[in-house]
Amino acid sequence: SVPVLHASEYHYEYTACDSLGSRWRVAVPHTPGLCTGLPDPIKGTECSFSCKAGQFLDMKDQSCKPCAEGRYSLGTGIRFDEWDELPHGFASIATNLEIDNSFSESLENCTTSTWVPLGDYVASNTDECTATLMYAVNLKQSGTVSFEYIYPDSSIIFEFFVQNDQCQPTVEESRWMRTTEKGWELHSVELSRGNNVLYWRTTAFSVWSKVPKPVLVRNIGITGVAYTSECFPCKAGTYAATSGSSFCKLCPANSYSSKGATSCQQCAPDAYSDQGSSSCKPRPPCTDKDYFSTHTACDASGETQLMFKWAEPKTCSEDLPTAVQLPPSGVKTKCPPCNPGFFKTNSSACEPCPSGSYSNGSGCISCAAGTEPVLGFEYKWWNTLPANMETTVLSGINFEYKGIAGWEVAGDYIYTAAGASDNDFMILTMVVPGFRPPQSVMEDVENKEVARITFVFETVCSVNCELYFMVGVNSRPNTPVETWKGSKGKQSYTYIIEKNATMSFTWAFQRTAYHEAGRKYTNDIVKLYSINVTNVMDGVASYCRLCALESSGSCTSCPSGNYIDRASGACHPCTPSTYLKAHQPYGSQACIPCGPGTKSNKIHSLCYNDCRFSLDKDGRTLEYDFSALPNSTSFAGGPSFTSKGLKYFHHFSISLCGNHGRKMATCTDNVTDMRVSDGEAEFSKSVTSYVCQSIIVPSDVMGYKTIVSSQPVSLADRVVGVTTDTALDNITSLPEHFSPENVGLTDVIFFYRSNDVTQSCSSGRATAIRLRCDPLKTGSGALSVPSKCPDGTCDGCTFHFLWETSAACPLCSAYDYHAIVSACLGGIQRTTYVWREPKLCTGGVPLPEQKVSICKTMDFWLKVGISAGTCAAVLLTVMTCYFWKKNQKLEYKYSKLVMNSTAKDSELPAADSCAIMEGEDVEDDLIFTSKKSLFGKIKSFTSKVGARPLCCSSTGLEDRRGLVL
């Protein structure tokens, strides 16, 4: 006979399900090769059969039985809650992003950038590599996967998704995880039957120096897996006191348990433990770092007392020889006054003043006629924690919230108390229900300032402590606004509130990030001296301000753009080209002149440029019109690479001018938007301004459907001025940042400032945009940043841009063209107008049409000149001949007279004779009455006149006349 195997030598399993959904139970020997002496296979339960949570399937009789004490089960599921190493079945993969080959040799490798198990949880990477945690599971029925996670830093993309048999992901929108605010949050996703591959994937893309905080995941549970044939023992530090448990409870503080425990053991008096501990630690001797001071609340007599308390939880021992004792309480002192806007009741408690009154912390005073209370919160005395503030401690080890105070009041400041460990986060939160800004601010859609919070603080640190200031909107997760590292002297910080919503303000202080338990740096503290919030709905008032008066004498609001006259309380409009300080609208000095090249909008809330600019240069006026430039344009600088090879771009969006001062440039954080529902989209992380910047990671790099845009910041919230000067309001645009300007035509520079004040930029960020005329670059033209500063800024505070476009050229005028006159051809002369070169103008005056005029050609005048010259030459020749002949006759007569006078010197001269002498021409002295030519007349007249003096005497005159025929 075949020997029958003992039950300890084999175990039962089910066969795979057939097409009918049935299966068989078979015995499988522990020793391979043994196939005899086993129980016969029998019909198994249906494939969809499962036990409830807290039960397991006893394969011997195929029935569900409860788990024993100290053990648990999920019924149809499994749970992973121990992360000393990656559990069986998990894989952690690191992949490098798209890398430019030219950079590949110098890049660090991504193989070490994986999810890292850290005991109670698994932590993601914090660099630019993509780390993926995977788990493949086959579900026999529909089920769920759930896990707890902490996701504090939106600089990391964290997504969880599931792929099925066809490697198709689940719904796209549900993959983006939302950042957490208060400790661990639970996330659950339904799974379908069949194969499912679970992916937890993270990629950090913080290109600043700050290292983001990792994503933490723990307690991964999957249901619908299959039957559970055994229960799991409770891990050390937990216990299950009853049978049929579906989970194990944590051991309380100062107790411990081992694996599979049914109860927790108390630590000895000289030892202690944290919640969920597997062992106890000896109590060290108490030191001065284990206690702190605080003030008691005011008693009925108006006195307070300095007291010392042991830091919670108390882990030290006072009984050891070197231990210090708790100092005695101090003497009673007079309570500090109430905070402004509050008054002291008979019980010495501080209560808010009634509406319409104010106080400096003592008694309430009604506002005088013509004034109104200025509502807000001003906390500067710290005897008790204000009603709208709370404090707690977040463990830096397991990130659980502890029920202890993280901050303590100390009279004139509030400071961080001692935590359980130096890496705990000491948290102080203030909630403001809403704001009531002045009416003029509510009407102005462009002036985003609704209110502001200002606080004065100081940090005293011996190691690398960090203070975070975070802001939450409408219960949305807190967003870190500013971080201070190390010791900082007493200083103030102001944050401008731009949305009228319920806001939470959180101060979180961590002494060190190292995971070392204990208190070494308790003396590293933050002191908050004062907190001031303006325009708080249902706030209190520390003073009253003048208001505009109605005829009845009650307060009213001035119309937009009007200031209040301090003497009369009347409203007066601001003069043109000035803007009004809405929060202090008193007196004409509240109207501040606009900068050069700008004017105010209708309600005098801001100054803007209407896309026009005039410049007087070299005796003429250049007119510019920039309205052809688009309302909003964007461009990216050259690619940048992080040490791990992540390619990213600095993306800029610019809204230059116009739109009555409305800002049109928008930069978004679409990683946040992916996790935000439509109803909350209004409060998603986006920035609208004149110039803004974001970090762009291309879609082909990240492997997502869309590009990843993150970390938007505003670079320009108000226009300072438009000018050709290189400096304005302490903003300098150095010409050497870019190529030389056009000869004879300077760049027009737009100067802006932002409202964001940072540690490095105490005056806020600034922007200078140079507009340069380039007729060849039509349309939007080309934008560029300085070659030496590819990020657009050389100091992190002032950003420089060059915008080359034809729209930046001045409008053309008559000075910009000249006339070219053609030769006279065919009696027609043409005048053509051409632009001066180089043409540095656009639009404006068009070129005049070609002009045509009638003219006399050179041929005609040449002919006239030749004819006139010929005639003159002929006449001159004739006259020369004539006078020569006449001269000959006169010479003959003269010589004859001389001869006669010589021969008869002794005789009396004879009477002149007018008779015709021998040889004389009779015709010479005759004037014919017949018609003669012009030449003849001249000849006759000349002969007559020339002969008369020689031959005519007084005695022979009558005879001479008688010769006239």
Side-chain angles (χ1 to χ4, degrees), residues 429-483:
T429 301
M430 179 173 68
V431 178
V432 177
F435 302 91
R436 182 170 289 136
Q439 186 67 26
S440 58
V441 175
M442 298 176 70
E443 292 178 6
D444 178 18
V445 296
E446 285 308 307
N447 189 344
K448 295 182 178 179
E449 181 176 338
V450 172
R452 57 177 60 194
I453 177 172
T454 302
F455 57 90
V456 178
F457 72 98
E458 176 185 17
T459 60
V460 180
C461 298
S462 57
V463 287
N464 56 337
C465 68
E466 285 189 273
L467 171 64
Y468 303 90
F469 175 61
M470 299 176 286
V471 177
V473 181
N474 282 356
S475 301
R476 290 277 323 284
N478 280 334
T479 302
V481 172
E482 189 60 90
T483 305

Side-chain angles (χ1 to χ4, degrees), residues 164-344:
N164 56 21
D165 288 332
Q166 288 76 39
C167 292
Q168 296 298 316
T170 54
V171 182
E172 188 78 17
E173 286 72 17
S174 64
R175 68 191 293 168
W176 306 104
M177 303 299 293
R178 298 186 61 162
T179 51
T180 57
E181 180 182 5
K182 293 188 176 180
W184 296 92
E185 289 193 11
L186 181 68
H187 184 69
S188 182
V189 174
E190 293 186 358
L191 302 177
S192 56
R193 181 179 174 181
N195 290 320
N196 292 269
V197 184
L198 315 180
Y199 292 89
W200 292 263
R201 187 161 76 174
T202 55
T203 305
F205 53 92
S206 176
V207 296
W208 316 116
S209 58
K210 181 174 177 284
V211 177
K213 296 187 180 301
V215 176
L216 309 180
V217 173
R218 72 177 185 185
N219 290 344
I220 300 175
I222 304 170
T223 62
V225 176
Y227 60 91
T228 301
S229 59
E230 61 178 338
C231 296
F232 302 100
C234 292
K235 69 175 184 176
T238 64
Y239 70 100
T242 60
S243 61
S245 296
S246 60
F247 64 93
C248 301
K249 298 178 181 179
L250 291 173
C251 285
N254 297 321
S255 66
Y256 70 99
S257 74
S258 56
K259 191 172 184 177
T262 59
S263 62
C264 299
Q265 307 297 317
Q266 291 295 317
C267 293
D270 60 349
Y272 77 98
S273 71
D274 295 322
Q275 186 184 38
S277 296
S278 59
S279 62
C280 297
K281 304 172 187 175
R283 292 182 183 270
C286 291
T287 68
D288 57 359
K289 293 180 173 57
D290 290 308
Y291 64 82
F292 60 92
S293 62
T294 184
H295 284 72
T296 62
C298 288
D299 57 20
S301 58
E303 292 182 324
T304 182
Q305 188 176 21
L306 177 69
M307 295 188 65
F308 295 91
K309 290 183 179 180
W310 291 114
E312 293 292 338
K314 184 185 176 187
T315 58
C316 64
S317 172
E318 304 171 65
D319 303 327
L320 296 175
T322 58
V324 300
Q325 302 299 311
L326 197 66
S329 300
V331 297
K332 287 191 173 185
T333 58
K334 187 178 179 181
C335 280
C338 293
N339 280 308
F342 292 82
F343 72 99
K344 195 163 288 186

Side-chain angles (χ1 to χ4, degrees), residues 788-842:
K788 295 181 180 179
C789 312
D791 297 344
T793 177
C794 303
D795 59 1
C797 293
T798 303
F799 289 76
H800 304 275
F801 303 96
L802 175 64
W803 199 340
E804 298 172 289
T805 170
S806 60
C809 299
L811 297 179
C812 295
S813 65
Y815 175 84
D816 296 299
Y817 61 81
H818 62 93
I820 297 177
V821 181
S822 69
C824 188
L825 297 175
I828 295 176
Q829 189 174 53
R830 289 179 170 85
T831 303
T832 305
Y833 297 90
V834 295
W835 297 113
R836 298 182 189 273
E837 293 296 335
K839 182 192 174 187
L840 295 177
C841 68
T842 184

Side-chain angles (χ1 to χ4, degrees), residues 934-954:
L934 175 65
F935 180 75
K937 290 179 180 179
I938 293 173
K939 179 181 177 184
S940 300
F941 178 76
T942 308
S943 300
K944 238 172 79 174
V945 173
R948 183 175 297 158
L950 295 175
C951 61
C952 296
S953 63
S954 58

